[in-house]
Amino acid sequence: MYWPLFRSKQEEMIALKELGSHLGSNLVVPIIKPHDANSRVEGQISRVLQTGLRAALIINTNEGSPVPSIAQIAAMEKNLTNAYPDQVLPTLEVHPDVTASDVSWFLTTYSGRTQVFVHRAHTLSAATFPANGAIHIFESNQVSPHFTSAFSASRRVILRDGFKKQPVNGGYPSASYFDDLVYSYRAHGYDGFGDFATIGDVPYNKGGGQPSHVALHLTEPHQNNTFQCRHFVSSVPPATTDVQTKYFDALAQLVAHTGSPGVGSFSTLGMSDYCNNYAAGTFPGLGSPKRWSTKHHIQLLHSVLTASSAAPWI
């Protein structure tokens, strides 16, 4: 099973909403880390659940401006669970600020539910957590193999960031290695895997100024059962060119690589969005391409899982 982690940004939620009804096998369960508890974010998550997707909702988010309280997110979780029974999985992200008391509260509050723990850089003992019955997701670069081995009686998921984010868009190479987890998670002893799509493990922020370059990102199968990420970076003069021209320059490179319509691994809904935009010639802003690349990535990994006869276990 595939457990991508998103931070409830608008384009991420729209990507899941537009794609959800096309993922009928229950192999994809997005982990959603809310950056706000307002009605707009709750409505976006609700529309994701309307598609039939299940979602792991992080109760103790530590991102946002301001950061929403646990009580606020717990109230959101209750509303969503009442509206979509059995589709919301209460989730605790275990980071350095989480205490054993926090874990105990979570276990008590969500007793009788399928509980999910996302283990990141923390120092709590394995004995703090249930050894079986829960779903444990491990950020591979922040949790030791010795710690993960304590949960062999539970469902275990490996989470790894395959997107090699650069400080500036102009720094991306034409392609970079992404990951092989969709092919190898079972061999590593896990029941599922997760990543951060083509966004990367980047804390929530409200965005910056105008970019010097526009970079579009698409994952694709590569040799030896791996995935790579293609980066299509605008090549027009960065200082004197408007962002729309930069975007269309990058888009022309992308379509030249994939074809229009895309075929094979590029015959996805996200790729169709790119091709339709290329044909229309209208500037969509810089948010929509993130949505389209996210849709492409999720659908592509879903197709690999389906072809491998993977089956959902929740």
Side-chain angles (χ1 to χ4, degrees):
M1 293 183 68
Y2 175 43
W3 299 70
L5 195 154
F6 299 105
R7 286 179 163 85
S8 78
K9 284 191 172 183
Q10 176 173 290
E11 295 298 340
E12 300 167 359
M13 296 300 97
I14 296 175
L16 293 170
K17 181 198 74 171
E18 293 181 348
L19 189 60
S21 61
H22 299 273
L23 305 175
S25 62
N26 283 330
L27 287 171
V28 178
V29 181
I31 307 164
I32 299 176
K33 184 175 184 177
H35 68 277
D36 205 318
N38 61 28
S39 59
R40 180 181 60 83
V41 172
E42 183 174 325
Q44 290 172 340
I45 299 173
S46 176
R47 287 186 283 276
V48 171
L49 298 171
Q50 285 175 9
T51 69
L53 278 178
R54 294 167 295 172
L57 184 68
I58 291 177
I59 302 297
N60 63 322
T61 182
N62 58 354
E63 297 178 22
S65 182
V67 176
S69 69
I70 289 180
Q72 288 175 312
I73 301 301
M76 176 193 290
E77 187 279 331
K78 184 176 181 180
N79 292 339
L80 293 170
T81 295
N82 287 339
Y84 306 96
D86 303 320
Q87 286 182 241
V88 182
L89 308 178
T91 302
L92 189 74
E93 183 180 45
V94 192
H95 49 69
D97 294 330
V98 171
T99 67
S101 295
D102 296 327
V103 176
S104 179
W105 169 86
F106 179 81
L107 291 170
T108 300
T109 302
Y110 297 102
S111 176
R113 303 275 301 277
T114 299
Q115 299 169 336
V116 181
F117 295 91
V118 178
H119 297 275
R120 306 198 80 176
H122 69 84
T123 57
L124 295 177
S125 164
T128 309
F129 306 92
N132 55 60
I135 299 169
H136 293 276
I137 300 174
F138 305 96
E139 210 292 324
S140 64
N141 295 324
Q142 299 180 356
V143 179
S144 73
H146 177 73
F147 181 83
T148 64
S149 67
F151 302 94
S152 58
S154 292
R155 293 292 187 178
R156 300 186 301 172
V157 175
I158 180 171
L159 175 66
R160 192 158 67 195
D161 187 3
F163 185 69
K164 309 300 187 294
K165 188 170 180 62
Q166 299 298 313
V168 294
N169 285 344
Y172 284 101
S174 60
S176 60
Y177 174 76
F178 189 86
D179 215 330
D180 67 349
L181 284 179
V182 68
Y183 300 106
S184 67
Y185 70 94
R186 288 171 172 163
H188 291 307
Y190 291 92
D191 302 289
F193 72 99
D195 59 27
F196 301 85
T198 50
I199 299 166
D201 185 12
V202 181
Y204 171 80
N205 63 74
K206 293 186 177 180
Q210 293 296 309
S212 61
H213 298 75
V214 168
L216 307 176
H217 314 284
L218 281 183
T219 47
E220 64 180 4
H222 195 46
Q223 59 192 10
N224 301 321
N225 283 348
T226 64
F227 266 73
Q228 68 176 4
C229 190
R230 287 278 182 174
H231 310 285
F232 306 94
V233 181
S234 59
S235 57
V236 293
T240 58
T241 309
D242 61 88
V243 68
Q244 292 94 325
T245 301
K246 295 174 185 177
Y247 168 74
F248 286 116
D249 179 68
L251 180 61
Q253 297 176 45
L254 182 150
V255 172
H257 178 71
T258 65
S260 183
V263 297
S265 62
F266 295 116
S267 57
T268 62
L269 295 175
M271 194 57 235
S272 293
D273 292 332
Y274 271 120
C275 292
N276 290 338
N277 179 237
Y278 180 74
T282 56
F283 178 56
L286 296 180
S288 294
K290 293 179 181 179
R291 181 202 323 167
W292 302 337
S293 291
T294 298
K295 289 169 63 176
H296 166 79
H297 179 72
I298 294 173
Q299 189 175 8
L300 186 55
L301 293 189
H302 179 263
S303 69
V304 175
L305 287 174
T306 302
S308 70
S309 300
W313 33 261
I314 58 164

